[in-house]
Amino acid sequence: MRIFATSDLHVDYRVNAQWVSEISEADFQEDILILAGDISNTAAQMEICFNALARRFKSVLYVPGNHDLWVSREGENKSSFEKFHDVGLLARNSGASLEPFYQDQLAIMPLLGWYDYSFGEPGAKLKMAWADYRACRWPDDMDDQAVTQSFTQMNEPVVRPSGRTVISFSHFLPRIDVMPHQISAKHHFIYPVLGTDLLDDQLRRAGSTLHIYGHSHVNQRITLDGVTYINNAYGYPKETRISAKRLLCIYQDGKILDQSS
């Protein structure tokens, strides 16, 4: 059994959807895919993607991303929490899972999240540019910090030591220093909406030694304080410099791989 990781497929783009459709239907039948969010903002595209990946992998493990919870752009008369519930049902009915995976001495732990500005306060430029502020709809009495607390609280029942090798994954970043140092300062305005420190606390309490994340679209592998963090986002079509646009094998023959393969 091998484990592969990807995120941010954004199959609303035709070329991205084509890449998914061209993944071998024979090569990964005994393997697991970690799918760390941002498939599409439309249920129809998500269903097509889930079905395609479920035919290609033995198991598809998924957490929603922010784009997956957009409602206003599709004219949906529901909240993003209701969309979260619907996306979960759609994933499960299509053969994907939002639940922890256990096999022998291995545990794979999905961690829900959002952003709570623990990475910095949003400025005027971000408030104007960030689509979530218009495309998501939360209860009137909930700000982003409360949304983050609600999602991370859902993780708590499984955030505990298991005695197994733990691989965790989230859509959102668990700490801001996973971002490469070479990212230009002009892009740092977006950092406040990349994730939350609460996720790093949870993955460490779960005993994770490898964490997969997405959202930033910047491919990365870095070890910090004993945990290796990997981003293997597919990203938007033109993001060829920061996204490798391939499946990444992270586990094989009972071992976490030290090198990309």
Side-chain angles (χ1 to χ4, degrees), residues 105-107 109 164-169 202-212 221-230 250-251 255-258:
Q105 292 303 305
L106 174 68
M109 194 73 60
R164 294 177 164 94
T165 297
V166 178
I167 298 173
S168 54
F169 69 102
Q202 289 187 320
L203 70 89
R204 289 173 182 276
R205 284 195 281 122
S208 176
T209 55
L210 175 62
H211 185 78
I212 308 300
R221 183 187 185 107
I222 187 171
T223 299
L224 299 167
D225 303 322
V227 176
T228 297
Y229 301 85
I230 294 177
I250 61 169
Y251 181 95
K255 297 180 180 179
I256 292 173
L257 299 181
D258 292 331

Side-chain angles (χ1 to χ4, degrees), residues 30-56:
E30 298 302 317
D31 300 324
I32 294 171
L33 177 66
I34 290 175
L35 186 59
D38 271 9
I39 309 308
S40 170
N41 57 292
T42 69
Q45 291 288 346
M46 274 191 275
E47 183 174 22
I48 291 170
C49 184
F50 286 139
N51 285 331
L53 293 173
R55 291 196 303 271
R56 289 161 168 80

Side-chain angles (χ1 to χ4, degrees), residues 60-147:
V60 177
L61 309 180
Y62 165 74
V63 289
N66 53 313
H67 282 239
D68 302 331
L69 304 187
W70 285 4
V71 291
S72 63
R73 284 197 170 185
E74 295 304 304
E76 297 175 87
N77 187 25
K78 62 180 65 175
S79 74
S80 290
F81 278 126
E82 291 173 312
K83 179 78 176 286
F84 167 74
H85 175 75
D86 292 348
V87 166
L89 288 177
L90 177 62
R92 295 179 184 97
N93 290 339
S94 301
S97 173
L98 281 73
E99 303 300 321
F101 174 93
Y102 301 101
Q103 181 171 302
D104 301 327
Q105 292 303 305
L106 174 68
I108 306 177
M109 194 73 60
L111 296 177
L112 301 169
W114 200 251
Y115 39 82
D116 60 359
Y117 310 132
S118 51
F119 298 165
E121 287 296 321
K125 182 178 179 180
L126 180 60
K127 291 177 180 179
M128 288 290 295
W130 192 241
D132 287 1
Y133 292 142
R134 292 165 291 281
C136 292
R137 185 181 298 121
W138 307 108
D140 290 340
D141 61 345
M142 295 188 74
D143 57 15
D144 285 316
Q145 288 88 341
V147 171

Side-chain angles (χ1 to χ4, degrees), residues 182-183 186-187 217-220 233-234 236-245:
Q182 66 267 27
I183 297 295
K186 69 181 182 181
H187 299 301
H217 293 200
V218 181
N219 287 183
Q220 167 74 307
Y234 190 86
Y236 298 137
K238 292 183 179 180
E239 292 177 328
T240 55
R241 293 182 62 188
I242 60 174
S243 301
K245 303 190 183 304

Side-chain angles (χ1 to χ4, degrees), residues 8-27:
D8 301 273
L9 294 179
H10 294 290
V11 295
D12 311 276
Y13 293 94
R14 182 184 58 80
V15 65
N16 291 25
Q18 182 177 347
W19 179 82
V20 171
S21 71
E22 291 175 352
I23 296 173
S24 171
E25 293 196 22
D27 293 350

